[in-house]
Amino acid sequence: MTQITPTMIKELRDRTGVGMGKCKEALEEAKGDMELAISNLRKAGMATAVKKEGRATNEGMIAAAQNGNTVGVAEVNAETDFVVKNERFQQFLQNIANEVAKTNPSSLETFLQQKYSQDPSLTVDQYRSTIVQTIGENIQIRRVKTFQKQADKSIGVYSHLGGKILTLVEIKGSNQEEALAKDIAMHVAAAAPEFVNPENVPADVIEQEKEIARSQMKGKPENVIGKI
């Protein structure tokens, strides 16, 4: 029987993120076969992940990545704010954003079922499940989106609060204004505007805002309120 050494256990832990005790058990079960132990842990991880799927994921972060002319954006959610600050979660988030930029998926559903380029033995969703098992919380890839750089367009991305808020601004007319686009994206994060220009504001929204303003100016003459 192959002797299970601390070095083997550490290697398995480094490759999977699973606890030392579980790594030792997996190696013993696989009789020292590292790849079989990894496969067994992944299978166990899938089973563990399924049990956690129903838990609410109300915390999350957003990351962006670039691959060639494609900018990929991904939102990943977890159960607690503590976990979204975890280094392993953040690395997973960035890996997903990188994968989005690299593969330019047509939809979230397609993305989840495609092979994960860093480990083609897994789909993206199976890769997610291994992270669920490692971290111990339900983790969901909530949204993915891609943007294409063009000769007449600049794209600026700004991340605020470590990824709690991420804004992206496109400027048409030049591909040399990325810094300006990023500066505007920073202001978007601070101001949270709902519309780009007055022409985009629906009439019912304008009327609602006018009504709110009128209610704040009670007691003033009607002709004055209208001008204000």
Side-chain angles (χ1 to χ4, degrees), residues 6-225:
T7 301
M8 293 169 66
I9 296 171
K10 182 179 184 303
E11 179 184 348
L12 184 57
R13 174 174 170 77
D14 290 343
R15 291 179 64 178
T16 65
V18 177
M20 300 290 274
K22 288 291 185 183
C23 286
K24 184 171 183 288
E25 290 176 12
L27 283 165
E28 289 174 346
E29 181 182 344
K31 297 181 172 55
D33 186 325
M34 184 67 66
E35 298 306 319
L36 179 57
I38 291 172
S39 177
N40 289 340
L41 282 173
R42 282 178 172 164
K43 290 174 182 176
M46 304 308 167
T48 301
V50 169
K51 295 177 183 178
K52 301 179 188 295
E53 294 292 329
R55 297 182 186 175
T57 52
N58 297 322
E59 299 291 338
M61 286 191 176
I62 310 168
Q66 181 177 332
N67 188 288
N69 289 326
T70 302
V71 176
V73 178
E75 176 187 348
V76 177
N77 291 3
E79 296 176 44
T80 64
D81 187 56
F82 176 78
V83 162
V84 301
K85 294 176 181 177
N86 176 280
E87 184 177 345
R88 190 173 289 274
F89 175 91
Q90 292 180 7
Q91 184 60 59
F92 171 70
L93 169 64
Q94 193 59 55
N95 287 347
I96 292 301
N98 291 342
E99 193 75 2
V100 171
K102 182 176 182 179
T103 63
N104 191 20
S106 59
S107 67
L108 175 60
E109 292 72 21
T110 300
F111 179 66
L112 291 174
Q113 297 309 313
Q114 71 188 30
K115 295 296 184 182
Y116 178 46
S117 65
Q118 299 302 311
D119 186 349
S121 69
L122 299 172
T123 65
V124 171
D125 198 43
Q126 287 171 337
Y127 170 46
R128 176 195 65 82
S129 292
T130 66
I131 301 301
V132 172
Q133 190 239 356
T134 300
I135 292 179
E137 279 195 7
N138 186 15
I139 293 169
Q140 295 292 327
I141 301 170
R142 189 66 64 197
R143 291 182 289 176
V144 297
K145 181 82 172 174
T146 58
F147 301 84
Q148 299 300 318
K149 289 192 169 185
Q150 299 174 10
D152 65 341
K153 183 188 297 182
S154 294
I155 295 178
V157 179
Y158 176 74
S159 180
H160 186 58
L161 297 175
K164 282 289 188 180
I165 297 173
L166 187 139
T167 54
L168 183 149
V169 168
E170 293 182 348
I171 295 179
K172 290 185 177 180
S174 170
N175 63 359
Q176 302 297 315
E177 297 298 340
E178 190 171 302
L180 174 60
K182 183 175 181 179
D183 284 345
I184 296 173
M186 178 177 66
H187 286 286
V188 170
E194 295 183 46
F195 308 99
V196 175
N197 54 55
E199 291 74 24
N200 294 142
V201 184
D204 60 329
V205 173
I206 294 175
E207 191 54 42
Q208 181 183 12
E209 292 301 318
K210 284 183 177 180
E211 186 58 37
I212 291 172
R214 289 191 191 99
S215 68
Q216 294 172 343
M217 292 182 283
K218 287 182 178 178
K220 294 184 181 293
E222 189 63 32
N223 62 323
V224 174
I225 292 176

Side-chain angles (χ1 to χ4, degrees), residues 1-6 8 31-32:
M1 180 176 177
T2 303
Q3 182 179 358
I4 308 304
T5 67
M8 293 169 66
K31 297 181 172 55

